[in-house]
Amino acid sequence: MTTGWTPRPPAAAYGPAGEHLPELDVPAPGRQRRWTVLLRWLLLIPQMIVVALLGIAAFFVTIVGWFAALVQGRLPHGIADFLGDYLAYATRVTASAMLLVDQYPPFALAAPGYPVQIELRPGELNRLAVLFRLILMIPAAIVSWLLQYGWAAICWVFWLITLVLGRMPQPIFEASAAVLRFRMRFLAYAMMLTSAYPKRLFGDPEPRAAVSGTRPLVLGTGAKVLVVVFLVLGLIVGSFSSTGRSDRYDDEWGSAAPTAPRFDSGTGTGAGTGN
């Protein structure tokens, strides 16, 4: 496995080089210490706090970057560097939370020696695509949302299996890595770190020389079935979640509530109830 990748490429890579789909590098599944698996999500609480704080900063930096990209047709280097570092940090923490790696992520934006790496090549952007970014990213956002909800619904099963076996089975690893990679590519597109739309949820189409456990990411039949299960479960969980919020709203506001519009906080869209 190559560990020389950085969260962002050298300055020379900022030149126009065509559309580049961000890459995720995670080592093949191996032995994990059971005590770290047992306490994984508890141990990662400090990391989650840091990611949340950095995410707030990244949100506002992305807004500034959107205006800059409209004018310049690319993200300024400083903005691209910070957003790339944030995305790399968040991806490392998420990979650990998903039990893809055993090693604890460092509290550092740059971690070239950590087993989880991403490869980004920020470059030229289509100004029209930047202008309509919020609209264009909706389909990918829905898919990413469904995947994460679906994975979260059964992650306790993966946790238990990994705890018992001391390692993550290959199909679970491949499906979880596919979720993580799609999420990373979606965030990179949303933050304008790439012009490439998120794709290849079900793995890379052609075999190539293996660099790591996810490059290329080749999904077996079991892993592909799991990805479909994630999507279906995400739809079910999301629907029940929306219904639960609506029911609570009706209980609080009484019989007048059915005539008022309701809003789904997860999608930001509103719709009348019709009665």
Side-chain angles (χ1 to χ4, degrees):
M1 164 183 163
T2 301
T3 58
W5 293 348
T6 58
R8 59 193 188 282
Y14 282 95
E19 186 177 77
H20 176 263
L21 194 61
E23 295 283 4
L24 172 68
D25 181 26
V26 180
R31 299 296 302 179
Q32 298 201 38
R33 295 165 293 175
R34 288 181 173 85
W35 75 268
T36 65
V37 175
L38 177 65
L39 303 175
R40 181 66 54 88
W41 296 322
L42 180 63
L43 294 171
L44 285 176
I45 289 177
Q47 291 282 5
M48 297 297 184
I49 295 174
V50 174
V51 170
L53 294 175
L54 288 173
I56 295 173
F59 171 77
F60 291 103
V61 172
T62 300
I63 293 176
V64 175
W66 182 80
F67 285 103
L70 274 181
V71 175
Q72 300 180 12
R74 64 181 306 110
L75 283 179
H77 290 185
I79 291 178
D81 286 347
F82 173 76
L83 293 178
D85 284 342
Y86 161 72
L87 182 56
Y89 191 114
T91 301
R92 291 194 296 267
V93 174
T94 305
S96 179
M98 297 178 75
L99 306 178
L100 293 173
V101 290
D102 186 56
Q103 184 177 337
Y104 193 81
F107 287 94
L109 288 177
Y114 193 72
V116 177
Q117 297 289 324
I118 65 174
E119 184 183 47
L120 298 169
R121 297 178 187 174
E124 300 295 333
L125 296 169
N126 184 303
R127 289 180 175 85
L128 192 61
V130 172
L131 179 63
F132 293 102
R133 204 59 149 209
L134 283 176
I135 298 176
L136 293 174
M137 59 189 266
I138 288 176
I142 293 174
V143 173
S144 181
W145 176 80
L146 292 176
L147 288 170
Q148 293 176 71
Y149 264 68
W151 186 91
I154 56 174
C155 65
W156 63 273
V157 177
F158 302 156
W159 173 82
L160 186 60
I161 292 174
T162 307
L163 181 63
V164 172
L165 299 179
R167 64 184 301 126
M168 176 172 280
Q170 187 69 28
I172 298 177
F173 170 83
E174 293 171 0
S176 298
V179 173
L180 177 62
R181 190 175 74 166
F182 191 89
R183 175 183 181 272
M184 181 271 293
R185 287 177 172 175
F186 163 68
L187 291 175
Y189 181 79
M191 292 188 290
M192 294 162 293
L193 289 167
T194 179
S195 60
Y197 203 78
K199 56 177 73 76
R200 298 181 185 173
L201 172 60
F202 289 94
D204 296 315
E206 68 282 340
R208 47 187 169 134
V211 176
S212 69
T214 58
R215 194 180 194 195
L217 180 58
V218 179
L219 272 62
T221 302
K224 291 179 179 178
V225 170
L226 275 176
V227 171
V228 174
V229 170
F230 295 156
L231 292 170
V232 174
L233 282 178
L235 183 60
I236 295 173
V237 172
S239 299
F240 273 105
S241 178
S242 300
T243 302
R245 285 196 297 268
S246 299
D247 291 343
R248 288 195 298 271
Y249 182 92
D250 292 345
D251 290 341
E252 291 173 2
W253 293 98
S255 60
T259 61
R262 291 200 299 258
F263 292 86
D264 188 319
S265 59
T267 62
T269 58
T273 61
N275 292 331

